[in-house]
């Protein structure tokens, strides 16, 4: 992770002072991320559906398993539905056209071939229930060195997918798991692959359908990969202290880097200790220096998830759950005050190594989707693509797909080609595209320091400032999530010069001195970004930015 270092003025004999002002220099900060559950995006190749997998037994068949008890007109499914690499690559332009620079896809490794028969039966709207569920999502890894057969096509493997995405201007963020394998016990009878771990087809571990407390890792070589205590539901609890485990996962995920993965999202990172991730990150980055990773620690307390970002613990970024919690309050049906977001930014003296490298989002596959109106989604995206952090959008949110729905109530429903075609004209997507394109072409929004001016009610105004390597840019962001147009008059920290409106296209001349003011009217549920391509010279702005750089966390 690239840390924000002190940016105080640096003068050399015979030259004007030069300054460094930035939140991060991390290359991934340039790229907003579109997140897909691959099986639920688009079925581009029906030839890899494997509809007969699991056999005729309704308890084990793996394709198309509707959740019972759905209210009229609603649905959820816990079987495979056919989404694959081809469906993703066929729609790379759809994703790129919105202004995204990267695609995060769910794990690609081999999963069991049958539906799980143990655990608790899945019910409509339920949670932590796995009976009847399949590994369509990819998180029930069996062989981490081999692809799940539902994903590739005859002429399109993972290397082909990543190369194809790159041709469309998209990086690949690969979801990885090391904390657990597949469900491993409580089956009426032991099922093939469940509780087993292979290395390229060779069995290296087997839970043998035994409860964790009955495992004997000290004497049974097949148990050596597992802790003999329970963690998450019936999933195997992989032993982070065993050297062979670290070797296994470093080898597996290095292979996928070699085939084009540009970054990792680490599932359930807090279920393994920082010492494991430190070793893992060090070995991955020994092979690929600077390789970017971010973890999922589902916790709304910053002090609990921040330690993963510290260099001493591997320097892995995290998904910004604390900010997400407030975003739901501000942009959801409750329409809370912008002020609720301020303290969750942790811009100075916060617990994170670098808050500017956090992955910011408002919903995902493990929680209810954002419950908001179209205007609420537009407001949320306007914030996400201008405030500090690297934005992540869950597939379908560009049209408010299944808004408010949780897992087993439609959160991960199939999107499909027909919805993609219809989405192109949707008002949420149109507004998302506009602001994402501004971020894509504005370095200050990608990596600049964030300095709040107003965060109150339905109005927000803040600066993003970037000055590094000969490039200088100041952006002033004005957000209005109200139902009527809002007038802004900004004087604080406002530097003289000709400011251009990135969305409106006009220019505003701001004069020298204390009387300088920038006046603008922002439409209801609108945004404007005024940009000044000039070095920072205004005294109070220099002071504020120097203070912000000096007080940035550096762990």
């Amino acid at each position: 992770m690239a840390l924000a270092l002190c940016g105080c003025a640096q003068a050399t004999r015979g030259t004007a002072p030069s300054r460094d002002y930035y939140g991060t220099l991390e290359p991934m900060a340039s790229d907003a991320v579109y997140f897909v559950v691959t099986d639920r995006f688009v079925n581009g190749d029906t030839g890899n559906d494997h509809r007969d997998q699991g056999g005729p037994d309704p308890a084990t068949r793996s394709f198309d398993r509707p959740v019972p008890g759905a209210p009229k007109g609603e649905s959820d499914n816990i079987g495979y539905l056919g989404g694959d690499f081809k469906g993703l690559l066929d729609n790379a332009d759809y994703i790129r056209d919105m202004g995204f620079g990267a695609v995060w896809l769910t794990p690609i490794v081999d999963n069991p071939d049958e539906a799980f028969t143990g655990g608790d039966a899945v019910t409509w709207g339920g949670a932590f229930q796995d009976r009847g569920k399949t590994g369509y999502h990819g998180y029930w890894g069996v062989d981490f060195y081999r692809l799940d057969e539902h994903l590739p096509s005859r002429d399109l493997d993972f290397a082909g997918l990543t190369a194809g995405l790159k041709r469309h201007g998209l990086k690949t963020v690969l979801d990885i798991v090391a904390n657990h394998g597949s469900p491993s016990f409580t089956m009426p009878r032991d099922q093939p692959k469940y509780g087993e771990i292979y290395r390229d087809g060779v069995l290296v571990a087997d839970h043998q359908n035994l409860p964790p407390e009955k495992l004997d890792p000290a004497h049974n070589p097949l148990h050596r990969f597992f802790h003999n205590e329970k963690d998450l539901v019936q999933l195997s609890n992989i032993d982070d202290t065993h050297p062979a485990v670290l070797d296994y996962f470093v080898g597996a995920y290095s292979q996928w880097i070699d085939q084009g993965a540009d970054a990792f999202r680490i599932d359930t990172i807090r279920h393994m200790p920082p010492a494991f991730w430190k070793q893992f990150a060090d070995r991955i980055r020994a092979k690929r220096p600077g390789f970017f990773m971010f973890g999922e620690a589902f916790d709304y307390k910053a002090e609990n998830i921040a330690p993963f970002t510290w260099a001493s613990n591997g320097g892995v970024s995290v998904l910004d759950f604390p900010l997400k919690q407030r975003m739901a309050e501000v942009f959801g049906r409750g329409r809370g005050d912008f002020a609720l977001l301020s303290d969750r930014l942790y811009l100075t003296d916060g617990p994170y190594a670098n808050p500017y490298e956090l992955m910011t989002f408002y919903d995902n596959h493990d929680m209810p989707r954002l419950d908001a109106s179209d205007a609420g989604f537009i407001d949320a995206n306007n914030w996400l693509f201008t405030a500090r952090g690297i934005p992540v959008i869950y597939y379908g949110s560009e049209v408010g797909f299944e808004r408010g729905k949780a897992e087993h109530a439609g959160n991960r429903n199939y999107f499909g080609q027909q919805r993609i075609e219809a989405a192109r004209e949707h008002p949420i997507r149109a507004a998302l595209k506009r602001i994402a394109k501004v971020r894509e072409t504005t370095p200050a929004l990608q990596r600049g320091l964030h300095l709040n001016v107003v965060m109150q009610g339905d109005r927000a105004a803040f600066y993003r400032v970037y000055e590094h390597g000969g490039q200088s840019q100041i952006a002033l962001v004005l957000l209005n999530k109200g139902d009527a147009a809002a007038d802004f008059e900004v004087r604080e920290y406002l530097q003289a010069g000709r400011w251009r409106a990135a969305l409106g296209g006009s220019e505003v001349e701001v004069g020298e001195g204390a009387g300088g003011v920038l006046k603008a009217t922002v439409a209801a549920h609108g945004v404007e970004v005024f940009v000044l391509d000039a070095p920072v010279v205004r005294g109070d702005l220099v002071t504020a930015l120097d203070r912000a750089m000096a007080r940035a966390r550096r762990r």
Side-chain angles (χ1 to χ4, degrees):
M1 299 170 68
L3 302 181
L5 304 177
C6 180
C8 302
Q10 303 168 2
T12 57
R13 184 175 299 173
T15 64
S18 62
R19 297 183 175 90
D20 264 352
Y21 294 132
Y22 55 84
T24 178
L25 301 179
E26 167 56 50
M28 274 296 296
S30 300
D31 302 303
V33 180
Y34 189 77
F35 169 37
V36 299
V37 177
T38 311
D39 177 75
R40 300 308 167 88
F41 191 54
V42 174
N43 188 349
D45 178 6
T46 58
N48 61 15
D49 287 356
H50 299 282
R51 295 178 181 233
D52 59 348
Q53 210 168 61
D57 186 344
T60 58
R61 65 178 176 81
S62 65
F63 195 89
D64 190 12
R65 300 182 59 90
V67 172
K72 186 176 180 179
E74 298 191 40
S75 67
D76 187 65
N77 205 293
I78 51 175
Y80 283 90
L81 292 179
D84 48 34
F85 290 166
K86 188 173 189 301
L88 179 55
L89 188 56
D90 284 349
N91 290 285
D93 279 342
Y94 167 82
I95 299 169
R96 185 72 188 93
D97 180 61
M98 282 187 281
F100 292 98
V103 176
W104 156 16
L105 62 158
T106 41
I108 60 175
V109 302
D110 190 34
N111 274 236
D113 301 333
E114 299 180 350
F116 183 52
T117 60
D120 297 318
V122 173
T123 58
W124 179 262
F128 301 107
Q129 301 166 334
D130 288 331
R131 188 188 309 163
K133 193 173 175 180
T134 66
Y136 72 87
H137 44 63
Y139 294 100
W140 291 356
V142 171
D143 192 332
F144 294 77
Y145 287 77
R146 287 188 172 179
L147 286 174
D148 187 296
E149 65 275 10
H150 297 83
L151 299 177
S153 298
R154 180 173 298 179
D155 58 350
L156 184 64
D157 58 9
F158 183 65
L161 172 68
T162 60
L165 291 174
K166 281 184 173 61
R167 286 194 296 272
H168 291 273
L170 293 166
K171 294 176 182 176
T172 301
V173 178
L174 180 61
D175 209 323
I176 69 169
V177 188
N179 159 252
H180 63 265
S182 59
S184 301
F185 56 101
T186 72
M187 293 167 276
R189 59 177 179 80
D190 200 0
Q191 295 179 256
K193 292 191 177 181
Y194 280 98
E196 299 168 3
I197 296 178
Y198 293 80
R199 178 165 183 155
D200 207 14
V202 177
L203 183 68
V204 297
D206 188 354
H207 220 278
Q208 298 178 320
N209 201 23
L210 295 171
E213 64 272 13
K214 291 190 176 181
L215 295 175
D216 186 10
H219 299 98
N220 188 335
L222 289 177
H223 298 173
R224 64 184 179 138
F225 268 37
F226 308 120
H227 286 296
N228 54 7
E229 56 187 19
K230 187 179 178 181
D231 186 16
L232 293 168
V233 287
Q234 292 80 38
L235 299 174
S236 59
N237 184 8
I238 292 177
D239 185 357
D240 51 273
T241 68
H242 200 298
V245 167
L246 181 63
D247 290 343
Y248 178 90
F249 285 111
V250 168
Y253 294 130
S254 293
Q255 169 185 289
W256 303 121
I257 292 174
D258 290 342
Q259 294 186 31
D262 296 292
F264 288 158
R265 179 266 190 184
I266 302 172
D267 183 69
T268 52
I269 192 171
R270 68 174 180 166
H271 290 265
M272 300 178 88
F276 176 87
W277 296 116
K278 169 64 172 168
Q279 294 178 77
F280 179 85
D282 286 350
R283 288 181 60 176
I284 291 294
R285 289 173 180 150
K287 180 183 178 74
R288 291 294 174 90
F291 191 82
F292 187 72
M293 296 178 253
F294 61 95
E296 175 243 357
F298 199 141
D299 195 314
Y300 293 133
K301 293 184 178 180
E303 61 269 25
N304 292 343
I305 68 176
F308 292 104
T309 71
W310 304 345
S312 59
N313 292 332
V316 173
S317 185
V318 290
L319 286 152
D320 194 349
F321 280 86
L323 183 61
K324 178 269 161 203
Q325 183 185 38
R326 292 289 175 81
M327 288 187 69
E329 296 176 37
V330 172
F331 302 113
R333 303 287 182 184
R335 297 181 59 175
D337 194 309
F338 259 122
L340 291 170
L341 300 174
S342 295
D343 66 337
R344 294 294 173 94
L345 293 174
Y346 296 100
L347 298 175
T348 58
D349 301 326
Y352 301 106
N354 192 336
Y356 292 89
E357 293 172 7
L358 299 179
M359 310 301 292
T360 51
F361 69 108
Y362 48 73
D363 62 14
N364 67 22
H365 58 320
D366 287 328
M367 60 177 60
R369 285 177 177 262
L370 180 66
D371 188 10
S373 65
D374 283 7
F377 274 95
I378 291 169
D379 294 332
N381 292 331
N382 287 340
W383 164 264
L384 204 62
F385 282 78
T386 54
R388 73 100 176 102
I390 304 172
V392 180
I393 296 290
Y394 186 34
Y395 81 97
S397 289
E398 67 270 27
V399 296
F401 181 56
E402 299 289 5
R403 66 190 79 193
K405 300 297 178 61
E407 186 186 4
H408 301 332
N411 174 291
R412 305 178 186 177
N413 272 349
Y414 183 73
F415 200 52
Q417 196 65 46
Q418 186 174 352
R419 284 193 179 91
I420 283 177
E421 298 310 318
R424 296 179 188 276
E425 305 303 321
H426 198 282
I428 298 176
R429 185 181 186 271
L432 166 62
K433 178 178 175 179
R434 283 195 296 272
I435 194 58
K437 291 289 187 181
V438 172
R439 185 184 191 276
E440 184 180 33
T441 57
T442 309
L445 296 183
Q446 299 168 16
R447 56 190 77 251
L449 288 173
H450 182 129
L451 185 62
N452 286 329
V453 176
V454 175
M455 295 282 287
Q456 188 173 21
D458 290 334
R459 298 164 71 252
F462 53 88
Y463 290 97
R464 300 294 306 279
V465 183
Y466 180 75
E467 189 165 333
H468 177 76
Q471 189 172 33
S472 301
Q473 189 173 75
I474 308 171
L476 173 61
V477 178
L478 306 178
L479 300 175
N480 172 25
K481 66 183 187 71
D483 294 330
D487 294 328
F488 288 79
E489 290 190 8
V490 178
R491 293 180 172 82
E492 189 172 4
Y493 303 129
L494 186 66
Q495 184 165 305
R498 184 174 293 275
W499 294 73
R500 57 182 173 84
L503 287 157
S506 61
E507 292 188 340
V508 176
E509 185 71 37
V510 174
E512 297 280 356
V517 60
L518 189 151
K519 297 181 180 181
T521 299
V522 179
H525 304 289
V527 57
E528 186 54 272
V529 180
F530 288 93
V531 179
L532 179 66
D533 293 311
V536 178
V537 294
R538 177 167 165 147
D540 58 353
L541 181 56
V542 168
T543 300
L545 295 173
D546 284 347
R547 185 184 305 118
M549 288 290 283
R551 293 172 61 193
R553 280 290 185 187
R554 297 181 296 278
R555 291 179 181 268

